[in-house]
Amino acid sequence: MRVKSPILLASAGLLALTACTDPNQFNNPNDPNRNTKQGALLGGLAGAAIGVARGDDPEERRRGAVIGAAIGAGGGALLGQRLDQQEAALRRSLDNDQVVIQNTGDRLIVTLPQDILFATDSATVRADLQSDLRVLAQNLQEYPNSTVRITGHTDNTGAAAYNQSLSQRRADAVAGVLFGSGVSRSRVLTAGRGEDQPISSNLTPEGRAQNRRVEIVITPTA
């Protein structure tokens, strides 16, 4: 028997189980448990891959794949459920439609346009716009089992080296507000990417505005 046969067996079982429950569950953006289900599936596949590595006997591999899939699915479902709950709580608390929250199933990505946080050429968070970050800080404290990566981005206006420095200082400034609101420093990493990772064209004012942003990636831990 080939090594990957148990993985395929366990994967097929998981897919069949979820399909029987709701064949369209992963394509329904209005399903509040969509990411919980995705987490269960991804966790199950990962668990199967780990379980199959147990021993050289084909039957032992098969049992390991099935057991690993079950354990992984349970863990993945819990992480997905936690993300769904955290996302819902954050959406209820924020009162700013310019803040974008994306739930990928294994992390939350909170994108804040730099234009609502900073004055032009400044790395000081505007005092009147710190409330959204304090709301985020409270959410992070309510859901403490996660790591937080804050990344600053700019458009391509000006020198690349200056943009890199500015994006780092802005990421650090956002982190500073979170720290001041009670978020543990040990959970947070910051980085500046300058103009290197645009999400839109820098040829138009609208595109440049989209590229000037701070992304906060919240990744749950076991």
Side-chain angles (χ1 to χ4, degrees):
M1 182 182 292
R2 293 183 179 179
V3 171
K4 62 182 177 183
S5 296
I7 299 180
L8 296 175
L9 231 136
S11 302
L14 280 167
L15 290 168
L17 177 62
T18 54
C20 289
T21 304
D22 180 1
N24 297 313
Q25 60 188 308
F26 299 128
N27 297 319
N28 181 5
N30 297 316
D31 182 358
N33 299 312
R34 178 171 54 120
N35 290 299
T36 302
K37 297 169 184 175
Q38 287 178 332
L41 178 59
L42 293 174
L45 294 176
I50 294 172
V52 78
R54 297 175 51 178
D56 296 323
D57 180 70
E59 180 61 23
E60 186 176 356
R61 287 177 179 273
R62 187 192 67 80
R63 287 197 301 268
V66 173
I67 294 171
I71 295 173
L78 288 175
L79 291 180
Q81 182 182 46
R82 190 195 310 168
L83 274 183
D84 288 335
Q85 293 171 345
Q86 185 173 8
E87 177 194 9
L90 189 56
R91 289 187 185 278
R92 285 194 301 269
S93 301
L94 282 172
D95 187 24
N96 189 337
D97 57 7
Q98 295 187 72
V99 178
V100 177
I101 304 172
Q102 180 185 7
N103 188 336
T104 66
D106 62 349
R107 68 195 64 193
L108 293 181
I109 304 174
V110 181
T111 303
L112 302 99
Q114 289 189 2
D115 295 351
I116 71 171
L117 292 173
F118 304 98
T120 302
D121 203 31
S122 171
T124 301
V125 180
R126 290 171 49 182
D128 59 327
L129 292 174
Q130 293 187 16
S131 58
D132 289 334
L133 293 178
R134 288 194 289 268
V135 167
L136 176 60
Q138 181 178 352
N139 179 271
L140 290 172
Q141 291 176 86
E142 291 172 354
Y143 294 86
N145 296 322
S146 64
T147 60
V148 183
R149 188 178 76 249
I150 303 172
T151 307
H153 302 270
T154 70
D155 60 25
N156 68 346
T157 303
Y162 179 81
N163 288 336
Q164 166 63 34
S165 172
L166 179 62
S167 66
Q168 180 67 61
R169 287 186 284 123
R170 286 181 166 177
D172 291 340
V174 169
V177 176
L178 298 183
F179 297 151
S181 301
V183 177
S184 172
R185 292 176 180 270
S186 63
R187 296 174 62 186
V188 179
L189 294 174
T190 65
R193 294 290 180 258
E195 60 191 61
D196 291 341
Q197 295 179 353
I199 58 174
S200 187
S201 170
N202 277 309
L203 298 178
T204 66
E206 295 78 14
R208 289 192 294 273
Q210 291 182 50
N211 292 332
R212 297 189 297 268
R213 69 199 189 278
V214 174
E215 291 180 343
I216 302 172
V217 179
I218 304 165
T219 305
T221 57

